[in-house]
Every structure is written in structure tokens, then in C-alpha cells.
Amino acid sequence: MILNELVKLFEGNKEVIRHTGWVITDPKSYEWWDGFDSADKIVISAFLVQLTKWESVKRVIGTLEEHGLAKVDSIAELDLPTLESYFRPINFYRTKARRVLNFAKFVKEMGGLNKVLLLERRPLLLTQEGVGEETADSILLFAGHQPVFPNTEYSRRVLGRVTGQEMKKRDLPNFVYHNVQQDLYLYKILHAGLGAVGKAFCLLTKPKCDRCFLKQVCEYNYR
Ligand code: SF4
């Protein structure tokens, strides 16, 4: 089955995948998310990365950590202007500061991240400003270790080309759910690997198939 073949290829190309920000490691580690060591950092960065370079996000997370603020419950105690000052290197920093602060207060009211990052809380997560389906499912999977597969443009494009099937937005999670067992490690490595290939090789207009490590199993490459 193609997804199992992809998992093997991703495992054999960990270093290439690492260069795009993903770490293939234990299923219950936070380090998948570019080596981060906490659910809090994953959640905060998931808000910040929208329309922003990842390097800027990492710098801001580092600054928050230096000030003892890389935790959602610490952020909930800040006022908005203070949080804005930390987020200044980020695009749309005022909007994102408001969203992160509101989310931090919501998490505090709910009793902590471990009470929020649960699959049954997904509908509630989606009511929060700045939390769309992709963000919700990404933080549920990587910060909450919940078995859900995020529906991303990279994954749809790469899987669509590899399988030679049009992969519509509504098709992707079901394709994964029907073709691999429910398993945190498999969902994480597939998301990370597809994202890495989408970012490094499988570009929208001119995919770099000659350099891509999926070329031997990819229908698009044999057209
Ligand atoms: S071989 Fe080409 S089309 Fe296939 S996944 Fe790689 S870059 Fe994309």
C-alpha cells in the first residue's frame, strides 16, 4: 500500500525531512515540531506561523522562553500591549497577539492545555479566533498527541501526484484513515514527510522530481 511505502521512504530520508523543520522521533515526543520541547511552544507557534516565516516565529519563541513566558498560562497573565511588544517581529503581530491572548485565557478557564487538546474538544477549538481546521488538527496531533490527520495543501498536492488521483480537500483525511491503521506515529510521519516533500520538492508549478526521494513511487514522475 502506497502510504506504508511512503512511511518507509520518509524513515529513510530523516535528514532531508529534518532540514524542513520536522523531526522524526518517538510518537509521544513534542520534538517533531522542529525540536520544540513543550505543547505550549507548539500551540503558540501555530498561531504565529500563519503568513510568517518560520525563522521569525522561532526567534519569538526563543525570546518568550528567555523571559519565562513560553507557556500558555504565563501569557494569560500578560496585558495586550506587552504581548504585542514580544510579537513585533511577526507579520500581523497585533492580530496575533490578540488571538494568542484570548486563546490563553480560554485555556486557563478550561483548566489547562491538557483539558483542551482532546479530540472531543475539536468543535470548541474551532470556535476560537485564529483556529481553523488545519491549525486545530495540527496542534491536536503534535501538541495533544490525538489521532487526527491535518488536512494541508502540501499533503493534498504530494499525495495527489504520488497516487495519480485528484485529491480534493474533503478526500485527504479519509484517504489516510482508510489506508493506514489509527496510529500516532503513522499520522505524524505522514504529515511531516508529505509537508517536507511539498516544501522542498513538490512545488506547485515546477516540481523538482529529479531531486525528490519519492520519484520512484510517484505516478506524476512517470507521466
Ligand atoms: S516526484 Fe515530483 S511530483 Fe512526485 S512527489 Fe516528488 S516532486 Fe512531487
Side-chain angles (χ1 to χ4, degrees), residues 55-151:
E55 291 314 312
S56 305
V57 174
K58 280 182 80 175
R59 269 204 306 282
V60 168
I61 296 290
T63 307
L64 288 174
E65 185 159 37
E66 281 166 23
H67 291 83
L69 293 170
K71 292 191 76 67
V72 172
D73 57 1
S74 307
I75 286 179
E77 304 302 324
L78 295 178
D79 57 45
L80 186 57
T82 303
L83 192 56
E84 284 177 355
S85 70
Y86 285 111
F87 286 2
R88 202 171 279 272
I90 300 287
N91 291 338
F92 309 107
Y93 69 93
R94 287 206 164 103
T95 301
K96 289 178 181 174
R98 187 185 70 238
R99 289 175 175 178
V100 171
L101 186 57
N102 287 340
F103 187 78
K105 288 178 177 169
F106 157 74
V107 169
K108 192 177 172 193
E109 278 169 23
M110 295 290 295
L113 265 184
N114 59 348
K115 300 281 195 320
V116 171
L117 296 177
L118 298 168
L119 216 43
E120 58 266 33
R121 299 276 192 226
R122 185 178 186 272
L124 193 57
L125 269 178
L126 290 172
T127 65
Q128 301 303 302
E129 188 193 2
V131 183
E133 292 198 343
E134 186 178 328
T135 301
D137 293 340
S138 297
I139 62 177
L140 282 170
L141 180 60
F142 289 98
H145 306 312
Q146 300 293 293
V148 60
F149 193 79
N151 195 342

XYZ file of all heavy atoms in Angstrom, residues 55-151:
773
model
N 11.408 31.098 10.644
C 12.580 31.553 11.404
C 12.207 32.690 12.355
O 12.716 32.770 13.476
C 13.701 31.993 10.454
C 14.330 30.837 9.680
C 14.654 29.632 10.570
O 15.256 29.835 11.637
O 14.285 28.499 10.210
N 11.316 33.587 11.917
C 10.877 34.683 12.792
C 10.094 34.126 13.980
O 10.234 34.593 15.114
C 9.973 35.662 12.021
O 10.623 36.115 10.877
N 9.280 33.125 13.707
C 8.485 32.510 14.781
C 9.416 31.892 15.827
O 9.238 32.081 17.037
C 7.538 31.430 14.199
C 6.824 30.677 15.311
C 6.539 32.059 13.241
N 10.435 31.189 15.358
C 11.359 30.546 16.305
C 12.084 31.583 17.160
O 12.314 31.370 18.352
C 12.379 29.691 15.540
C 11.808 28.346 15.142
C 12.810 27.489 14.433
C 13.750 26.819 15.384
N 14.654 25.876 14.687
N 12.434 32.699 16.535
C 13.103 33.758 17.313
C 12.185 34.273 18.420
O 12.607 34.478 19.558
C 13.515 34.916 16.392
C 14.922 34.761 15.825
C 15.516 36.099 15.438
N 14.673 36.857 14.539
C 14.573 36.627 13.233
N 15.281 35.667 12.680
N 13.779 37.353 12.476
N 10.918 34.479 18.086
C 9.973 34.993 19.088
C 9.763 33.964 20.205
O 9.732 34.322 21.392
C 8.631 35.379 18.420
C 7.555 35.625 19.463
C 8.823 36.616 17.552
N 9.664 32.708 19.848
C 9.510 31.670 20.883
C 10.747 31.671 21.793
O 10.645 31.557 23.021
C 9.310 30.270 20.237
C 7.992 30.226 19.442
C 9.341 29.168 21.304
C 6.728 30.261 20.244
N 11.932 31.851 21.197
C 13.166 31.915 21.990
C 13.143 33.100 22.948
O 13.527 32.973 24.120
N 12.673 34.250 22.472
C 12.600 35.439 23.333
C 11.599 35.214 24.466
O 11.864 35.552 25.627
C 12.168 36.671 22.499
O 13.046 36.784 21.387
C 12.215 37.935 23.321
N 10.454 34.637 24.139
C 9.462 34.350 25.191
C 10.082 33.432 26.247
O 9.905 33.637 27.450
C 8.220 33.672 24.588
C 7.291 34.540 23.728
C 6.201 33.672 23.096
C 6.645 35.657 24.542
N 10.822 32.446 25.779
C 11.426 31.496 26.721
C 12.429 32.206 27.635
O 12.453 31.963 28.847
C 12.107 30.366 25.957
C 12.638 29.302 26.902
C 12.858 27.973 26.225
O 13.282 27.971 25.059
O 12.602 26.950 26.871
N 13.242 33.083 27.041
C 14.228 33.821 27.862
C 13.546 34.594 28.983
O 14.118 34.811 30.042
C 14.986 34.833 26.987
C 16.085 34.228 26.150
C 16.558 35.205 25.078
O 16.364 36.429 25.255
O 17.090 34.728 24.067
N 12.312 35.034 28.724
C 11.585 35.817 29.733
C 10.622 34.956 30.550
O 9.761 35.490 31.261
C 10.815 36.959 29.048
C 11.726 38.017 28.498
N 12.344 37.903 27.269
C 12.157 39.189 29.023
C 13.101 38.967 27.053
N 13.010 39.761 28.103
N 10.741 33.661 30.420
C 9.872 32.760 31.193
C 8.421 32.811 30.759
O 7.510 32.547 31.554
N 8.196 33.147 29.469
C 6.816 33.349 29.011
C 6.387 32.382 27.903
O 5.354 32.600 27.274
C 6.660 34.783 28.484
C 6.787 35.879 29.545
C 6.864 37.246 28.871
C 5.602 35.820 30.499
N 7.171 31.339 27.666
C 6.804 30.413 26.587
C 5.810 29.378 27.089
O 5.887 28.193 26.754
C 8.054 29.751 26.014
N 4.869 29.843 27.901
C 3.823 28.957 28.419
C 2.482 29.661 28.289
O 2.380 30.868 28.542
C 4.080 28.615 29.893
C 5.314 27.748 30.102
C 5.399 27.205 31.507
C 4.452 26.067 31.778
N 4.743 24.848 31.031
N 1.485 28.898 27.917
C 0.171 29.497 27.687
C -0.360 30.138 28.968
O -0.915 31.243 28.941
C -0.803 28.428 27.138
C -2.215 28.960 27.083
C -0.347 27.979 25.747
N -0.158 29.489 30.121
C -0.723 30.087 31.349
C 0.024 31.354 31.762
O -0.562 32.243 32.387
C -0.828 29.072 32.498
C 0.486 28.425 32.850
O 1.502 28.772 32.226
O 0.496 27.573 33.754
N 1.305 31.495 31.389
C 2.022 32.754 31.669
C 1.501 33.859 30.758
O 1.341 35.010 31.185
C 3.521 32.594 31.426
O 4.013 31.496 32.125
N 1.255 33.512 29.505
C 0.752 34.513 28.559
C -0.622 35.024 28.995
O -0.937 36.209 28.853
C 0.725 33.926 27.132
C 2.166 33.854 26.613
C -0.149 34.758 26.190
C 2.324 33.284 25.240
N -1.428 34.149 29.579
C -2.776 34.556 30.010
C -2.730 35.688 31.036
O -3.701 36.426 31.198
C -3.523 33.350 30.586
N -1.594 35.843 31.715
C -1.467 36.888 32.740
C -0.965 38.215 32.171
O -0.915 39.214 32.884
C -0.486 36.429 33.842
C -0.840 35.109 34.507
C -2.223 35.146 35.134
O -2.617 36.196 35.661
O -2.923 34.112 35.055
N -0.537 38.220 30.898
C 0.023 39.447 30.312
C -1.086 40.391 29.859
O -2.220 39.972 29.626
C 0.890 39.101 29.092
C 2.162 38.287 29.339
C 2.855 38.008 28.006
C 3.098 39.024 30.287
N -0.713 41.672 29.687
C -1.665 42.573 29.028
C -1.331 42.614 27.536
O -0.239 42.214 27.117
C -1.650 43.976 29.656
C -0.276 44.602 29.624
O 0.383 44.532 28.567
O 0.159 45.142 30.655
N -2.285 43.088 26.758
C -2.136 43.015 25.302
C -0.926 43.799 24.785
O -0.150 43.266 23.977
C -3.439 43.475 24.625
C -3.495 43.315 23.113
C -3.253 41.878 22.683
C -4.844 43.805 22.582
N -0.696 45.051 25.231
C 0.474 45.777 24.706
C 1.792 45.050 24.980
O 2.700 45.061 24.149
C 0.415 47.126 25.440
C -1.024 47.295 25.800
C -1.523 45.915 26.103
N 1.903 44.411 26.134
C 3.146 43.686 26.437
C 3.327 42.522 25.466
O 4.415 42.314 24.913
C 3.120 43.164 27.892
O 2.915 44.271 28.761
C 4.411 42.451 28.244
N 2.251 41.775 25.238
C 2.369 40.640 24.314
C 2.666 41.136 22.895
O 3.486 40.550 22.178
C 1.084 39.800 24.337
C 1.186 38.450 23.633
C 2.323 37.592 24.193
C -0.134 37.685 23.721
N 2.042 42.233 22.508
C 2.327 42.809 21.183
C 3.809 43.134 21.043
O 4.405 42.929 19.988
C 1.510 44.088 20.974
C 0.051 43.829 20.667
C -0.757 45.120 20.535
O -0.200 46.214 20.776
O -1.939 45.021 20.203
N 4.413 43.632 22.111
C 5.830 44.017 22.019
C 6.707 42.789 21.768
O 7.698 42.865 21.050
C 6.273 44.768 23.275
O 6.317 43.892 24.379
N 6.339 41.643 22.307
C 7.108 40.416 22.041
C 6.872 39.908 20.614
O 7.748 39.288 20.023
C 6.719 39.314 23.032
C 7.282 39.520 24.415
C 6.452 39.836 25.484
C 8.654 39.402 24.647
C 6.969 40.030 26.756
C 9.182 39.597 25.918
C 8.328 39.911 26.969
O 8.856 40.106 28.218
N 5.683 40.146 20.100
C 5.320 39.588 18.786
C 5.680 40.518 17.624
O 5.388 40.211 16.476
C 3.812 39.303 18.726
C 3.373 38.089 19.519
C 4.277 37.340 20.254
C 2.038 37.692 19.513
C 3.869 36.233 20.989
C 1.618 36.581 20.233
C 2.535 35.854 20.975
N 6.307 41.637 17.907
C 6.549 42.652 16.871
C 7.267 42.101 15.625
O 6.969 42.529 14.507
C 7.339 43.825 17.474
C 7.199 45.112 16.705
C 7.831 46.253 17.477
N 6.960 46.772 18.505
C 6.073 47.737 18.301
N 5.944 48.275 17.108
N 5.320 48.166 19.281
N 8.212 41.141 15.728
C 8.867 40.637 14.508
C 7.950 39.803 13.601
O 8.367 39.389 12.516
C 9.999 39.743 15.044
C 10.165 40.111 16.478
C 8.812 40.563 16.939
N 6.731 39.539 14.049
C 5.820 38.644 13.328
C 4.850 39.461 12.478
O 4.366 40.502 12.922
C 4.987 37.836 14.365
C 5.898 37.011 15.265
C 3.929 36.982 13.710
C 6.511 35.829 14.616
N 4.560 38.993 11.274
C 3.538 39.669 10.464
C 2.195 39.669 11.208
O 1.844 38.682 11.839
C 3.348 38.944 9.125
C 4.553 39.092 8.225
O 5.343 40.022 8.391
N 4.705 38.183 7.280
N 1.477 40.764 11.084
C 0.153 40.907 11.730
C 0.241 40.680 13.247
O -0.581 39.997 13.845
C -0.872 39.949 11.106
C -0.931 40.031 9.609
C -0.408 39.017 8.817
C -1.485 41.142 8.980
C -0.438 39.103 7.434
C -1.519 41.230 7.595
C -0.993 40.215 6.820
N 1.305 41.247 13.847
C 1.572 40.917 15.255
C 0.460 41.361 16.190
O 0.207 40.715 17.209
C 2.930 41.489 15.700
C 2.996 42.986 15.805
C 2.747 43.629 17.019
C 3.309 43.763 14.703
C 2.818 45.001 17.116
C 3.374 45.142 14.793
C 3.124 45.756 16.004
O 3.183 47.121 16.095
N -0.234 42.449 15.841
C -1.305 42.901 16.752
C -2.462 41.895 16.756
O -2.974 41.522 17.811
C -1.818 44.276 16.316
C -0.850 45.389 16.625
C -1.581 46.725 16.793
N -0.726 47.675 17.435
C -0.085 48.666 16.796
N -0.231 48.829 15.495
N 0.684 49.487 17.470
N -2.856 41.479 15.559
C -3.948 40.493 15.459
C -3.554 39.202 16.171
O -4.346 38.614 16.925
C -4.239 40.186 13.974
O -4.584 41.398 13.339
C -5.356 39.176 13.813
N -2.306 38.775 15.941
C -1.886 37.501 16.530
C -1.759 37.607 18.051
O -2.080 36.657 18.768
C -0.592 37.034 15.885
C -0.843 36.574 14.446
C 0.400 36.144 13.740
C 0.075 35.731 12.308
N 1.281 35.439 11.525
N -1.310 38.762 18.533
C -1.223 38.933 19.988
C -2.624 38.832 20.601
O -2.821 38.171 21.629
C -0.587 40.279 20.316
N -3.596 39.473 19.958
C -4.967 39.397 20.484
C -5.464 37.950 20.483
O -6.037 37.462 21.462
C -5.885 40.278 19.622
C -7.299 40.403 20.178
C -8.212 41.174 19.245
N -8.518 40.419 18.044
C -8.258 40.842 16.800
N -7.693 42.009 16.579
N -8.571 40.087 15.758
N -5.199 37.241 19.371
C -5.672 35.855 19.279
C -5.012 34.955 20.315
O -5.670 34.134 20.955
C -5.385 35.311 17.869
C -6.271 35.942 16.813
C -5.882 35.476 15.431
N -6.818 35.989 14.435
C -6.713 35.778 13.139
N -5.705 35.070 12.665
N -7.611 36.260 12.308
N -3.694 35.101 20.461
C -2.978 34.233 21.411
C -3.415 34.546 22.839
O -3.628 33.635 23.654
C -1.446 34.375 21.239
C -0.704 33.660 22.364
C -1.011 33.814 19.885
N -3.586 35.834 23.141
C -4.008 36.196 24.499
C -5.413 35.653 24.786
O -5.658 35.068 25.853
C -3.976 37.722 24.658
C -4.251 38.251 26.060
C -3.277 37.663 27.076
C -4.150 39.781 26.092
N -6.324 35.811 23.837
C -7.680 35.282 24.039
C -7.654 33.762 24.192
O -8.359 33.190 25.026
C -8.598 35.665 22.867
C -8.967 37.135 22.907
O -8.857 37.780 23.948
N -9.386 37.680 21.780
N -6.820 33.120 23.375
C -6.739 31.661 23.456
C -6.155 31.241 24.806
O -6.637 30.291 25.435
C -5.882 31.112 22.308
C -5.900 29.613 22.225
C -6.977 28.944 21.669
C -4.845 28.860 22.725
C -7.012 27.556 21.607
C -4.867 27.473 22.666
C -5.947 26.820 22.104
N -5.137 31.971 25.266
C -4.511 31.638 26.554
C -5.533 31.768 27.691
O -5.581 30.927 28.599
C -3.310 32.547 26.794
N -6.368 32.802 27.615
C -7.394 32.973 28.664
C -8.431 31.851 28.591
O -8.898 31.344 29.617
C -8.058 34.343 28.511
C -7.118 35.477 28.922
C -7.765 36.834 28.713
C -6.829 37.938 29.201
N -7.289 39.268 28.796
N -8.774 31.472 27.377
C -9.721 30.363 27.175
C -9.149 29.068 27.777
O -9.842 28.340 28.496
C -9.982 30.225 25.669
C -10.462 28.880 25.212
C -11.764 28.465 25.453
C -9.615 28.028 24.511
C -12.207 27.224 25.012
C -10.046 26.787 24.067
C -11.346 26.380 24.324
N -7.866 28.814 27.514
C -7.229 27.598 28.043
C -7.231 27.632 29.568
O -7.519 26.631 30.236
C -5.785 27.465 27.495
C -5.015 26.371 28.233
C -5.817 27.176 25.996
N -6.950 28.803 30.118
C -6.926 28.925 31.581
C -8.310 28.612 32.164
O -8.440 27.868 33.142
C -6.491 30.345 31.949
C -6.158 30.502 33.397
C -5.657 31.886 33.698
C -5.526 32.052 35.205
N -5.343 33.445 35.562
N -9.342 29.179 31.535
C -10.719 28.914 32.014
C -11.071 27.431 31.937
O -11.805 26.904 32.768
C -11.735 29.684 31.157
C -11.912 31.123 31.568
C -12.715 31.898 30.530
O -13.471 31.269 29.760
O -12.557 33.125 30.489
N -10.523 26.768 30.910
C -10.838 25.349 30.712
C -10.047 24.440 31.650
O -10.298 23.242 31.706
C -10.523 24.943 29.268
C -11.383 25.619 28.224
S -13.094 25.056 28.237
C -12.906 23.356 27.772
N -9.034 25.011 32.322
C -8.277 24.203 33.275
C -6.936 23.726 32.765
O -6.327 22.832 33.364
N -6.466 24.276 31.636
C -5.126 23.924 31.153
C -5.150 23.282 29.778
O -6.191 22.799 29.313
N -3.972 23.277 29.134
C -3.889 22.740 27.769
C -4.316 21.277 27.691
O -4.914 20.847 26.708
C -2.442 22.854 27.259
C -2.068 24.086 26.427
C -0.637 23.954 25.937
C -3.016 24.303 25.258
N -3.994 20.514 28.740
C -4.339 19.086 28.672
C -5.848 18.840 28.718
O -6.317 17.757 28.383
C -3.606 18.277 29.759
C -3.945 18.767 31.143
O -4.536 19.831 31.303
N -3.584 17.997 32.154
N -6.613 19.875 29.100
C -8.084 19.750 29.078
C -8.656 20.228 27.736
O -9.829 20.019 27.449
C -8.704 20.596 30.200
C -8.266 20.200 31.590
C -9.040 18.970 32.023
C -8.959 18.678 33.505
N -7.693 18.862 34.152
N -7.811 20.907 26.960
C -8.269 21.497 25.697
C -7.832 20.657 24.492
O -8.576 20.509 23.526
C -7.712 22.941 25.563
C -7.970 23.510 24.184
C -8.334 23.837 26.626
N -6.614 20.102 24.586
C -6.067 19.385 23.428
C -6.550 17.933 23.414
O -5.779 16.982 23.551
C -4.538 19.462 23.441
C -3.983 20.885 23.291
C -2.468 20.884 23.374
C -4.444 21.529 21.989
N -7.847 17.804 23.258
C -8.501 16.496 23.205
C -9.405 16.475 21.980
O -10.016 17.499 21.638
C -9.356 16.279 24.457
C -8.593 16.275 25.787
C -9.570 16.346 26.958
C -7.713 15.033 25.889
N -9.494 15.313 21.351
C -10.285 15.215 20.123
C -11.726 15.687 20.325
O -12.302 16.353 19.470
C -10.263 13.756 19.652
C -10.228 13.504 18.156
C -9.275 14.428 17.432
C -9.894 12.055 17.888
N -12.293 15.364 21.490
C -13.687 15.756 21.728
C -13.851 17.267 21.900
O -14.959 17.788 21.846
C -14.281 15.007 22.926
C -13.562 15.188 24.236
C -12.529 14.089 24.486
O -11.927 13.588 23.517
O -12.317 13.753 25.667
N -12.733 17.966 22.096
C -12.791 19.435 22.204
C -12.597 20.122 20.851
O -12.559 21.347 20.777
C -11.700 19.940 23.148
C -11.801 19.431 24.557
C -12.764 20.271 25.359
N -12.654 19.967 26.765
C -13.684 19.759 27.561
N -14.904 19.820 27.076
N -13.502 19.504 28.833
N -12.415 19.355 19.781
C -12.137 19.962 18.472
C -13.196 21.002 18.074
O -12.852 22.105 17.637
C -12.022 18.868 17.409
C -11.613 19.375 16.027
C -11.468 18.201 15.057
N -10.956 18.617 13.763
C -11.715 19.023 12.758
N -13.040 19.084 12.897
N -11.168 19.386 11.612
N -14.513 20.703 18.235
C -15.505 21.720 17.853
C -15.335 23.013 18.649
O -15.511 24.109 18.108
C -16.847 21.045 18.172
C -16.552 19.581 18.157
C -15.147 19.443 18.666
N -14.967 22.888 19.914
C -14.764 24.077 20.741
C -13.509 24.838 20.298
O -13.506 26.073 20.225
C -14.632 23.640 22.209
C -14.722 24.718 23.275
C -16.028 25.488 23.169
C -14.603 24.076 24.661
N -12.460 24.087 19.985
C -11.233 24.726 19.475
C -11.538 25.565 18.239
O -11.018 26.666 18.074
C -10.223 23.649 19.067
C -9.222 23.146 20.091
C -8.378 22.044 19.460
C -8.341 24.277 20.578
N -12.393 25.032 17.382
C -12.694 25.713 16.116
C -13.508 26.992 16.314
O -13.653 27.773 15.381
C -13.434 24.763 15.165
C -12.572 23.623 14.616
C -13.428 22.621 13.850
C -11.467 24.164 13.715
N -14.021 27.202 17.512
C -14.747 28.456 17.768
C -13.782 29.580 18.160
O -14.196 30.731 18.272
C -15.781 28.300 18.914
O -15.075 28.037 20.136
C -16.772 27.192 18.637
N -12.513 29.258 18.375
C -11.546 30.275 18.800
C -11.017 31.047 17.594
O -10.692 30.442 16.562
C -10.373 29.608 19.540
C -10.787 28.821 20.763
C -11.548 29.676 21.761
O -11.046 30.684 22.230
N -12.776 29.276 22.069
N -10.879 32.358 17.759
C -10.388 33.184 16.658
C -8.970 32.755 16.275
O -8.108 32.575 17.147
C -10.373 34.664 17.073
C -10.059 35.571 15.912
C -9.725 37.001 16.346
O -9.703 37.288 17.550
O -9.460 37.808 15.443
N -8.736 32.551 14.984
C -7.400 32.175 14.513
C -7.170 30.676 14.485
O -6.087 30.223 14.126
N -8.185 29.895 14.869
C -8.030 28.432 14.848
C -8.931 27.849 13.764
O -10.126 27.641 13.974
C -8.367 27.793 16.215
C -8.123 26.287 16.164
C -7.536 28.420 17.321
N -8.339 27.603 12.596
C -9.056 26.902 11.533
C -8.814 25.407 11.669
O -8.131 24.958 12.600
N -9.345 24.647 10.723
C -9.238 23.183 10.829
C -7.781 22.716 10.812
O -7.399 21.823 11.558
C -10.007 22.526 9.688
C -11.499 22.737 9.812
C -12.295 21.763 8.980
O -11.710 21.144 8.075
O -13.498 21.631 9.245
N -6.974 23.330 9.943
C -5.578 22.889 9.835
C -4.821 23.155 11.140
O -4.076 22.297 11.629
C -4.907 23.608 8.661
C -3.514 23.119 8.394
C -2.881 23.805 7.186
O -3.604 24.157 6.230
O -1.660 24.000 7.213
N -5.032 24.342 11.708
C -4.358 24.665 12.976
C -4.862 23.762 14.094
O -4.072 23.211 14.875
C -4.606 26.149 13.339
O -4.103 26.956 12.280
C -3.920 26.524 14.639
N -6.173 23.591 14.175
C -6.740 22.755 15.242
C -6.169 21.339 15.168
O -5.703 20.785 16.172
C -8.261 22.718 15.123
N -6.183 20.764 13.969
C -5.742 19.369 13.853
C -4.233 19.238 14.039
O -3.752 18.230 14.570
C -6.193 18.793 12.507
C -7.715 18.677 12.448
O -8.350 18.666 13.524
O -8.269 18.608 11.340
N -3.485 20.257 13.623
C -2.030 20.206 13.815
C -1.680 20.241 15.298
O -0.830 19.479 15.763
C -1.351 21.384 13.102
O -1.566 21.291 11.713
N -2.336 21.124 16.053
C -1.991 21.179 17.483
C -2.566 19.967 18.226
O -1.960 19.483 19.176
C -2.376 22.529 18.152
C -3.860 22.798 18.120
C -1.603 23.669 17.537
C -4.265 24.096 18.847
N -3.712 19.470 17.773
C -4.239 18.253 18.414
C -3.269 17.088 18.224
O -2.996 16.323 19.151
C -5.612 17.891 17.833
C -6.788 18.720 18.352
C -8.046 18.449 17.529
C -7.057 18.438 19.834
N -2.721 16.961 17.005
C -1.820 15.840 16.723
C -0.463 16.017 17.406
O 0.020 15.108 18.086
C -1.639 15.701 15.202
C -0.711 14.574 14.729
C -1.217 13.206 15.181
C -0.581 14.590 13.197
N 0.152 17.188 17.245
C 1.545 17.327 17.689
C 1.692 17.855 19.118
O 2.692 17.577 19.769
C 2.323 18.213 16.708
C 2.559 17.517 15.397
C 1.740 17.761 14.308
C 3.568 16.581 15.263
C 1.932 17.095 13.099
C 3.777 15.908 14.067
C 2.952 16.165 12.976
N 0.725 18.626 19.605
C 0.813 19.111 20.992
C -0.051 18.255 21.915
O 0.251 18.130 23.095
C 0.378 20.573 21.071
N -1.133 17.683 21.370
C -2.041 16.899 22.207
C -1.917 15.403 22.011
O -2.543 14.634 22.727
N -1.129 14.980 21.006
C -0.963 13.549 20.695
C -2.315 12.865 20.468
O -2.545 11.739 20.929
C -0.186 12.836 21.812
C 1.131 13.473 22.133
N 2.051 13.844 21.174
C 1.684 13.829 23.323
C 3.108 14.379 21.751
N 2.908 14.403 23.051
N -3.199 13.565 19.767
C -4.513 12.996 19.448
C -4.492 12.455 18.011
O -3.887 13.071 17.123
C -5.600 14.071 19.565
C -5.712 14.688 20.945
C -6.207 13.695 21.978
O -7.334 13.250 21.934
N -5.335 13.338 22.916
N -5.160 11.334 17.756
C -5.072 10.710 16.431
C -5.978 11.380 15.396
O -7.099 10.948 15.146
C -5.520 9.268 16.702
C -6.447 9.397 17.864
C -5.967 10.551 18.694
N -5.469 12.455 14.809
C -6.217 13.165 13.775
C -5.214 13.572 12.702
O -4.057 13.873 13.014
C -6.948 14.389 14.385
C -5.989 15.367 15.019
C -7.820 15.094 13.367
N -5.640 13.557 11.433
C -4.697 13.873 10.356
C -5.003 15.258 9.786
O -6.073 15.475 9.214
C -4.768 12.821 9.242
C -3.617 12.945 8.283
C -2.374 12.428 8.617
C -3.758 13.616 7.084
C -1.291 12.573 7.768
C -2.677 13.770 6.221
C -1.444 13.243 6.563
N -4.068 16.207 9.920
C -4.319 17.567 9.422
C -4.432 17.597 7.896
O -3.679 16.925 7.193
C -3.079 18.349 9.885
C -2.478 17.525 10.977
C -2.775 16.105 10.617
N -5.364 18.409 7.444
C -5.680 18.484 6.013
C -4.953 19.686 5.408
O -5.456 20.804 5.448
C -7.202 18.645 5.894
C -7.697 18.374 4.498
O -6.937 18.386 3.537
N -8.989 18.141 4.390
